[in-house]
Amino acid sequence: TATAAKPKAARQNAKRQAKDDTSPKSGSQRRQARKAEEKAEEHTEEKPPDLRLAKLEAFIVNLSESKSFLRCTLLLEYDANILATVGGAAEGEGHAGGEHGGGGEGGGSDDALPALLKPKEPILRDAILRVMSSKKIDDVLTTDGKDRLKSEIIEAANQALGFEEAPITNVYFTEFVVQ
């Protein structure tokens, strides 16, 4: 029986060593650490968008295939969280205030482009002008045409910015005149 006890003790020591080699934590500590990591991952993945507005100066463009022109002013809606990950934009910098688009009743009045986008404003304006000037008068007179124009502006603006994630989420026309 003494020889039978030795292998049993050796097996128990081997199990303890294997446990010690993989992690200095107990099983419950490992589970708690794993849950904390999962919770942290869920928290970062489920972060709601921080939507803000930036006003661009009026655009006046000649429409293609006609002597008509389009004058419009628009607001770009962008996700400040995406800009923060791209360039570390400071909280509260260059935004319209309020939540989900801000600038509504009781919102702030600072609707300038955020600091990270300001140097790219000429590139943004060029991309938007190209989209607008490619349109015919019939393309922009209907509601569906305006919706397509918005979609194309969002796509062109995000491509022009060249970020990995697209920060521009919507476009709002505040003035829209075809003549």
Side-chain angles (χ1 to χ4, degrees):
T1 55
T3 55
K6 276 188 176 180
K8 186 176 178 181
R11 282 195 306 267
Q12 287 175 342
N13 281 339
K15 281 184 182 178
R16 274 191 225 114
Q17 277 185 329
K19 196 175 191 181
D20 289 344
D21 289 344
T22 58
S23 173
K25 299 176 183 176
S26 71
S28 64
Q29 288 174 325
R30 281 191 298 253
R31 280 191 296 278
Q32 286 175 344
R34 209 177 3 231
K35 283 182 183 179
E37 287 173 12
E38 288 172 5
K39 193 173 186 178
E41 286 176 14
E42 287 175 12
H43 182 68
T44 57
E45 289 174 12
E46 294 179 18
K47 192 172 187 180
D50 182 5
L51 301 177
R52 301 177 184 185
L53 296 174
K55 184 176 182 179
L56 295 177
E57 290 182 30
F59 291 86
I60 301 173
V61 298
N62 292 318
L63 297 172
S64 70
E65 297 185 10
S66 71
K67 293 183 181 180
S68 298
F69 69 90
L70 167 66
R71 174 185 167 87
C72 81
T73 306
L74 55 89
L75 294 170
L76 294 178
E77 182 180 68
Y78 63 93
D79 187 344
N81 291 334
I82 293 174
L83 290 182
T85 60
V86 170
E91 181 66 30
E93 187 176 322
H95 71 302
E99 287 195 23
H100 299 286
E105 290 183 20
S109 61
D110 181 19
D111 55 2
L113 279 176
L116 186 64
L117 297 184
K118 198 68 174 156
K120 294 181 178 265
E121 185 175 10
I123 298 165
L124 270 174
R125 289 187 63 82
D126 178 66
I128 293 168
L129 282 168
R130 287 175 181 266
V131 170
M132 289 180 177
S133 63
S134 72
K135 299 298 171 194
K136 299 176 188 170
I137 192 166
D138 294 336
D139 294 337
V140 296
L141 290 179
T142 65
T143 304
D144 288 340
K146 287 179 181 79
D147 288 342
R148 279 191 299 276
L149 179 60
K150 283 183 177 188
S151 295
E152 290 178 30
I153 289 172
I154 293 166
E155 184 178 336
N158 282 319
Q159 283 180 346
L161 291 173
F163 299 142
E164 195 171 306
E165 263 190 281
I168 308 299
T169 58
N170 208 343
V171 170
Y172 300 99
F173 295 120
T174 57
E175 177 185 39
F176 199 94
V177 179
V178 178
Q179 201 169 15

